[in-house]
Amino acid sequence: NKDIQIIHAIKNKKQKNKYNIKKIHPLSAKIVNSQLENIKKINQTRLNNSKKLIDLLKKQRNASIPTLNTYSKNVFTRFPIRVLKRKKRSSIVNKLIKQGIDVEKPYYSLNKILMNYSNVPNSINLARSLITIPNHACLSCNDISLIGKKTLSILQSSE
């Protein structure tokens, strides 16, 4: 990930316990400094959240969920779910929203661009079948369990 490489490059140039950031506004530098100190913890929390969601959702048959690669860490900021019956995606999204789960349909604007300028039906079909649920580092283990269980229930009820 290019952003992480840049962050590590900045982090490696310490100057009196501060990171050497000369080309950005001082306020931005302070924000970057505070985030750098927490990046490993944030990424580990996201990875743990992903593992929990995978464990909770792996038994359902209505959607495809990602698997974790053993050679790299998938630190999803949003956890992707591919709804196998595309016609049920809107219904699933509406039910999740009613349960208080922040769900998104990713790549909406990309779909419009692809349809107007390219003939890429596989990409369009994939994008139209995806939803994402929260996976950010501020969510507690209990929050992730609740999101996963509600999502599982809704996916199973839409069979």
Side-chain angles (χ1 to χ4, degrees), residues 46 49-50 53 66 74-81 93 96-97 100-107 130-137 139 144 147 151:
R46 288 179 180 156
N49 290 349
S50 296
L53 288 169
N74 296 320
V75 287
F76 303 109
T77 53
R78 305 271 315 164
F79 187 82
I81 299 171
V93 166
L96 287 167
I97 290 170
I101 297 173
D102 175 30
V103 63
E104 292 180 4
K105 297 178 186 179
Y107 313 118
L130 289 176
I131 61 172
T132 62
I133 57 177
N135 187 39
H136 51 80
L139 293 170
I144 287 293
I147 290 167
T151 302

Side-chain angles (χ1 to χ4, degrees), residues 20-34:
N20 185 11
I21 302 171
K22 295 179 180 177
K23 295 183 180 180
I24 62 175
H25 190 275
L27 179 60
S28 297
K30 286 183 181 183
I31 293 169
V32 169
N33 282 323
S34 69

Side-chain angles (χ1 to χ4, degrees), residues 2 24 48 54 59 81 83 106 109 121 126 133 141 148 156:
K2 191 173 183 178
I24 62 175
N48 293 343
I54 288 169
K59 295 180 182 176
I81 299 171
V83 177
S109 57
L126 178 62
I133 57 177
C141 189
Q156 287 176 332

Side-chain angles (χ1 to χ4, degrees), residues 41-55:
K41 181 180 175 185
I42 289 168
N43 285 341
Q44 188 59 49
T45 301
R46 288 179 180 156
L47 182 62
N48 293 343
N49 290 349
S50 296
K51 288 177 181 177
K52 180 72 171 176
L53 288 169
I54 288 169
D55 190 50

